[in-house]
Amino acid sequence: ERAGDTATAIEYAEMVVAEHPGSQVALNTLARLSEQHGDLHEAARALKRLIGLAITPSERAALLHRLGELYQNRLDDPELAADAYLKAIDLDPQHVPTLRRLLDHYWREGDIAELADIARSLAELAALLDNETSLTTLTRCLIAAAVLDDEVLARRLVQRIGGALAPI
């Protein structure tokens, strides 16, 4: 891999996985290298195997989030991405990156009540109004708060957004 030969590095990772199918290090390496090389379906398969080997719910949630990101950003499959995110949040209800992704999911689904619940969860974790949440997402949360007459959430969002509403 350091020599720049990703294809050969993948072959070696596959050999290690074949000999040690429970090796989290080898599966993680295979997933990462496969994604770098553009073999996204192999990366997804390796991540799924890795998820099955994760010991703690928070580790499994982080891997499910990673799988969701692969589906969302590289394979352009929002349904599979949402499935991974929803499984992740069941395992770790405070996994902030997954909560942020679910805001967008519930907006696409038109589920304003769930979107507002997720926004409230992020606000409680002090993670909604930081610089990591996009202005578009914050604007969508503000709309949800207004529709649901949630004055507390709406006020927090207006203070953060100011006059710079984003196109939704």
Side-chain angles (χ1 to χ4, degrees), residues 88-154:
I89 213 62
D90 283 344
L91 293 168
D92 185 356
Q94 295 185 343
H95 191 255
V96 171
T98 301
L99 287 168
R100 283 197 183 101
R101 282 298 191 185
L102 286 174
L103 289 171
D104 297 327
H105 165 70
Y106 287 123
W107 177 261
R108 280 191 310 274
E109 293 292 311
D111 193 337
I112 300 299
E114 284 294 330
L115 188 148
D117 283 344
I118 297 294
R120 285 184 210 100
S121 294
L122 280 165
E124 288 173 15
L125 295 168
L128 179 64
L129 305 177
D130 59 10
N131 291 328
E132 297 294 317
T133 307
S134 75
L135 187 57
T136 299
T137 300
L138 291 172
T139 302
R140 291 172 177 170
C141 292
L142 179 57
I143 291 168
V147 167
L148 297 172
D149 201 25
D150 185 336
E151 188 176 337
V152 172
L153 181 59

Side-chain angles (χ1 to χ4, degrees), residues 35 47 62-76 80-81 84-85 97-98 101:
E35 185 174 1
L47 278 172
L63 289 166
L64 280 161
H65 178 266
R66 186 172 157 196
L67 180 62
E69 292 294 282
L70 179 68
Y71 285 135
Q72 182 75 31
N73 299 324
R74 302 290 307 275
L75 289 167
D76 194 31
L80 286 176
Y85 297 140
T98 301
R101 282 298 191 185

Side-chain angles (χ1 to χ4, degrees), residues 145-166:
V147 167
L148 297 172
D149 201 25
D150 185 336
E151 188 176 337
V152 172
L153 181 59
R155 284 186 188 277
R156 290 171 117 174
L157 289 160
V158 167
Q159 287 174 348
R160 166 62 174 82
I161 294 170
L165 293 179

